[in-house]
Amino acid sequence: MKQLKLGMVGSGDISNRFFEQAAKLDNVTFVATCARRLENAKIKAETYKIARWYDDYIQMMDNEELDAVVVTTPHSVHAEVVLAALERGLHVLNEKPMATSFDDCKKMVELAERNNKIFMSLPYDLNPAFTTALEYIKEEVIGKITGAEAQLNIPGPGRDNWYYNREISHGGAILDCMVYPISRLISLLGPAKSVTAEVNTLIPNRIVRGGKEIHSDVDDNVTVIVEFAGGQHAVFRTLWATSFNQNNTIIYGRKGTVAINDCGLPLVVHSPNAPIPDAEEVTWRGVKECYLPKLLPSASSEQDIMSHFVHCLRTGEQPKQSGRLQLHVHEIMFAAYKSAETGQRCMLTTTFEPWHKLDTGIFDTKSQFI
C-alpha cells in the first residue's frame, strides 16, 4: 500500500483532530506543517513528530512531495490555499466553510473536477445515527415527508478573536455554525430550490469567556426557510445566544417522524403504524410509539473524517458528501445573506446527485389523499 504524504496548512486547535485521526491509519503520514507564524508551525510539528515546518504554504507545496493537503486556516484563507493546492495537482481536505464567497466555492469545485482531484469539504456527517436514519426515511415508516427542521444553537464562541470581526471572518453564525444543520438535512433529503431568511446581529456588545467585553459586528441570529421541489419547507436556526447547546435534526412525515440527536437521544423514530422490530420503545417529547433503533456500525472507510478522505485518495472515488453537494449547501448559506439583505426569496442554481437514493414518491403529497 502506497505511503500517503500529507501537508497541514493551519496550526489552530482544529488541526489536532486530523493529526490524531491520521495517526491511527496505516501508511498515512503528515510530512510538513504550515502556519502564518513559523513558530506556531514548528510547535505543531514538534508536538506530532513531523519533520518539517513552513510559514509559506506555496513553498511547502512546491518543496514537499505531497499527495494531499489539509486546510484548517481561518475561514477567509481557505480559498487561496485550496486553489493553490488544486492547481498543483494535489488532493484537498478543506475545513468548513468551503470559502467566504460563493464564487470562490464554485472555483474550488470546478477546478477539482477539471483536474480530476479529490476535493472533500466539511462538514462530515457520516456518523452511525445519520446513516441509520436513512433506513427509516421511508414511506412505509413515516409516510410522505411534510417538513423538516434543523438547528445548531450555542452561547457563542468563547474566544475573543476573529470570530466576531466581520472584516476578518466575512460572516458569523451562518458560515461557522449553520453549515452543520444545512449539510445534515440536505445530505438526507437532497437538493432544495429556494431560500428565504432573516439574519441580524442580536448582541453587538458581548461578554465572552473570562468576562471580557467585546464588540461584535457578525451575524449571530439566523432563521432560514428552504423550500424543496415538492413544496416541503425546512426551517434552519442558528443562534449565538442560548444558555445551552442544541444541535438536532427532525424530519416530519404524515405518519411518523425521524429525529437525530434530540432530547439526548442519538436517533428516535416515531412510527405508530409500523413498529420497529428489535428497537426499544420510548416516550419522546411526551409522544408514545417511538423507538430507539439499533445504530448501524460505520463502514471501515467512514470511521472518521480522515478514514473517508484516505479511502477516497486510495480508490479515486469522490467523497460521499461531494464537492457538488457542499457547493449546494454553501449556495443556501450565501443565499440566506442575500435574502435577508434584499427581503426577497432567492432561487437556487446548483444541484447534486445524492449518494443515497430516497424514493421520489415520498415527497409527493398532492397526487392522492393522504
Side-chain angles (χ1 to χ4, degrees):
M1 187 182 296
K2 176 190 174 184
Q3 181 84 10
L4 293 175
K5 298 180 180 179
L6 309 180
M8 173 65 74
V9 185
S11 63
D13 292 343
I14 199 67
S15 67
N16 295 340
R17 65 174 174 175
F18 300 100
F19 291 123
E20 292 162 5
Q21 290 176 11
K24 300 175 184 177
L25 303 175
D26 294 333
N27 296 310
V28 178
T29 305
F30 277 97
V31 298
T33 64
C34 180
R36 183 170 59 85
R37 293 180 57 196
L38 188 62
E39 180 64 21
N40 291 342
K42 179 181 179 182
I43 291 171
K44 193 67 68 169
E46 291 177 340
T47 299
Y48 290 100
K49 298 180 172 56
I50 297 168
R52 291 171 293 282
W53 51 88
Y54 296 81
D55 60 3
D56 185 326
Y57 61 83
I58 297 295
Q59 288 183 4
M60 183 187 77
M61 293 177 191
D62 291 344
N63 292 349
E64 302 290 337
E65 295 181 359
L66 301 175
D67 295 292
V69 297
V70 179
V71 181
T72 64
T73 62
H75 303 164
S76 58
V77 187
H78 288 185
E80 62 184 75
V81 181
V82 170
L83 292 172
L86 292 172
E87 287 167 354
R88 286 163 173 75
L90 300 176
H91 305 290
V92 178
L93 170 56
N94 184 34
E95 254 294 353
K96 59 81 191 170
M98 189 183 292
T100 54
S101 79
F102 185 53
D103 283 343
D104 281 339
C105 293
K106 288 192 291 186
K107 288 177 185 176
M108 292 178 183
V109 173
E110 291 168 357
L111 183 57
E113 291 175 346
R114 191 159 60 246
N115 290 351
N116 196 28
K117 295 302 169 185
I118 302 300
F119 177 46
M120 182 171 168
S121 192
L122 302 185
Y124 180 74
D125 298 315
L126 303 179
N127 57 71
F130 176 94
T131 53
T132 305
L134 291 170
E135 299 294 312
Y136 300 97
I137 305 175
K138 297 178 179 178
E139 197 166 343
E140 57 265 33
V141 179
I142 65 170
K144 303 286 189 180
I145 291 175
T146 53
E149 62 184 62
Q151 59 190 326
L152 173 51
N153 298 326
I154 61 175
R159 290 167 285 180
D160 170 25
N161 60 9
W162 55 268
Y163 276 98
Y164 293 108
N165 186 336
R166 179 175 293 276
E167 185 176 344
I168 300 174
S169 68
H170 295 266
I174 290 181
L175 295 183
D176 190 61
C177 286
M178 185 164 274
V179 65
Y180 290 107
I182 292 177
S183 178
R184 282 197 304 272
L185 198 49
I186 291 298
S187 295
L188 289 167
L189 299 187
K193 73 172 189 178
S194 70
V195 175
T196 308
E198 292 288 348
V199 180
N200 61 36
T201 304
L202 188 67
I203 306 178
N205 303 306
R206 181 178 284 267
I207 299 174
V208 297
R209 191 165 52 209
K212 186 172 183 179
E213 297 178 349
I214 65 166
H215 297 293
S216 170
D217 63 354
V218 299
D219 50 284
D220 60 12
N221 182 35
V222 184
T223 303
V224 176
I225 299 175
V226 166
E227 186 173 41
F228 292 89
Q232 292 84 357
H233 291 167
V235 179
F236 297 99
R237 185 87 176 99
T238 288
L239 176 62
W240 281 1
T242 55
S243 59
F244 63 96
N245 294 347
Q246 191 172 18
N247 188 15
N248 59 16
T249 302
I250 303 176
I251 297 170
Y252 298 104
R254 183 68 169 142
K255 298 178 181 178
T257 299
V258 172
I260 301 173
N261 193 33
D262 190 70
C263 298
L265 301 171
L267 177 64
V268 180
V269 180
H270 176 231
S271 182
N273 297 325
I276 298 174
D278 301 321
E280 179 186 354
E281 187 170 355
V282 297
T283 298
W284 166 73
R285 292 192 172 192
V287 179
K288 298 185 183 299
E289 298 177 301
C290 297
Y291 301 88
L292 302 181
K294 293 180 180 178
L295 300 185
L296 300 174
S298 297
S300 60
S301 64
E302 296 168 4
Q303 294 293 322
D304 53 37
I305 298 167
M306 290 300 296
S307 295
H308 193 54
F309 183 56
V310 168
H311 170 80
C312 294
L313 295 181
R314 296 204 184 281
T315 63
E317 301 171 3
Q318 287 294 330
K320 283 186 174 179
Q321 294 181 289
S322 65
R324 285 286 167 183
L325 186 157
Q326 290 299 345
L327 183 63
H328 190 70
V329 168
H330 283 69
E331 186 182 15
I332 291 171
M333 294 194 296
F334 290 111
Y337 282 122
K338 183 178 179 181
S339 174
E341 181 181 350
T342 63
Q344 302 293 316
R345 183 167 92 160
C346 295
M347 303 305 295
L348 298 171
T349 63
T350 62
T351 189
F352 64 94
E353 190 68 26
W355 59 271
H356 65 90
K357 295 293 185 181
L358 290 180
D359 183 347
T360 56
I362 199 171
F363 291 96
D364 177 11
T365 61
K366 300 178 175 67
S367 65
Q368 58 185 311
F369 289 96
I370 61 169

